[in-house]
Amino acid sequence: MSVHTIRSSRRSRFRAAGPLLAALSLLLALPVAAQAADTPSVPERGSAYLGMGVAAHDGVGGLPRDTRAAQTEGVDVASYQGNVNWSALWNSGVKWAYSKATEGTYYTNPSFAQQYNGSYNVGMIRGAYHFATPDTTSGAAQANYFVDHGGGWSKDGKTLPGVLDIEWNPYGAQCYGKSASAMVSWIRDFANTYKSRTGRDVVIYTATSWWQSCTGNSAAFGSTNPLWVARYASSVGALPAGWGFYTMWQYTSTGPTVGDHNKFNGALDRVQALANG
């Protein structure tokens, strides 16, 4: 057999094998692709923000009804919003704001200075919040980290007490792998440490459904810690156990200028009263 004939035969066999090899590669890739499709994407650590899980877990309803009760508009912001147009918000009637300062003991908001000082400079009463990750470090460690990185308080009439944002875990199990009693202990550890550092009771931000699931609907904090409740609907609905009223209500994540808008349960003088302690 000539060399030319041998080479032609080999090329024919390779061409015939091509479709078979492609089909085999596709079959091998299918389980990997299926597994990737079934695995929910986990956000980058540090990217969590106030109300991140509310719409997905509790849904979205209408906007608040006009009750004619005195309420004061506010917003909350995090790093993903970058530099905020505070003048536009002030001119639209927003009078108070919270900015994310920290998360866990591993993250600080790179936009915090512009957000925290910018809201103050246009006349707003402002404060800072901490996104809790109870599965990474203790409540005391996170409270100290928060106070050391923007979460402090001063009685200047323009600084609100810090907020503990405790809600669904965007990085894993919704209750951070903790039992209800362990979660309550973690929150108490944070709250006690924050008060010892600042002299103020930390505001607790949560959603009623999360609180029921992950703390067993604990009533341990209602008499001491102001409640900031999340519910995107026309009414605030049921509150977590222990609280007879809310101090703040996050009612939407799709508001004007900045998405997260809130109602303070009272006129501006009540916002000032909370700031002054």
Side-chain angles (χ1 to χ4, degrees):
M1 185 180 292
S2 69
V3 173
H4 177 74
T5 303
I6 292 171
R7 287 175 177 170
S8 297
S9 176
R10 286 176 177 171
R11 282 197 296 268
S12 297
R13 287 198 298 269
F14 289 151
R15 282 196 296 268
L20 181 61
L21 290 171
L24 182 60
S25 298
L26 180 61
L27 287 171
L28 290 172
L30 282 173
V32 177
Q35 182 178 1
D38 290 340
T39 303
S41 60
V42 176
E44 182 182 357
R45 282 276 176 183
S47 64
Y49 54 88
L50 203 78
M52 188 172 186
V54 175
H57 290 88
D58 284 351
V60 177
L63 293 174
R65 294 187 291 265
D66 181 4
T67 63
R68 302 296 174 184
Q71 293 186 318
T72 309
E73 192 77 5
V75 296
D76 58 90
V77 295
S79 62
Y80 74 94
Q81 284 141 329
N83 290 344
V84 174
N85 187 341
W86 291 110
S87 295
L89 285 165
W90 175 263
N91 292 334
S92 72
V94 173
K95 301 304 178 188
W96 59 275
Y98 270 98
S99 303
K100 180 182 178 181
T102 51
E103 177 177 319
T105 51
Y106 52 79
Y107 172 86
T108 57
N109 175 8
S111 299
F112 180 71
Q114 191 277 342
Q115 295 174 350
Y116 190 73
N117 296 326
S119 54
Y120 179 94
N121 289 338
V122 299
M124 292 185 192
I125 303 172
R126 51 77 164 111
Y129 79 84
H130 173 81
F131 192 94
T133 56
D135 57 340
T136 60
T137 45
S138 69
Q142 293 193 31
N144 282 318
Y145 188 79
F146 178 43
V147 173
D148 292 342
H149 295 87
W153 175 79
S154 58
K155 191 173 182 178
D156 58 5
K158 298 292 290 290
T159 304
L160 292 160
V163 171
L164 172 64
D165 176 4
I166 187 83
E167 57 175 296
W168 295 276
N169 178 11
Y171 311 116
Q174 70 170 4
C175 298
Y176 301 85
K178 291 191 175 294
S179 66
S181 61
M183 184 63 76
V184 171
S185 295
W186 192 96
I187 296 169
R188 184 177 292 111
D189 194 27
F190 187 104
N192 289 345
T193 304
Y194 186 82
K195 185 164 187 177
S196 72
R197 289 289 307 274
T198 66
R200 295 300 307 273
D201 288 305
V202 72
V203 176
I204 293 178
Y205 168 97
T206 196
T208 300
S209 62
W210 183 91
W211 191 264
Q212 290 170 341
S213 296
C214 296
T215 73
N217 208 22
S218 171
F221 304 95
S223 62
T224 53
N225 300 90
L227 172 66
W228 188 354
V229 68
R231 187 166 188 259
Y232 302 161
S234 58
S235 65
V236 74
L239 299 179
W243 283 284
F245 62 92
Y246 66 89
T247 298
M248 292 170 279
W249 168 23
Q250 187 189 55
Y251 66 87
T252 185
S253 61
T254 56
T257 309
V258 165
D260 294 350
H261 276 247
N262 307 269
K263 301 287 186 186
F264 192 97
N265 193 8
L268 184 59
D269 66 329
R270 302 317 304 156
V271 185
Q272 293 167 334
L274 180 63
N276 284 319

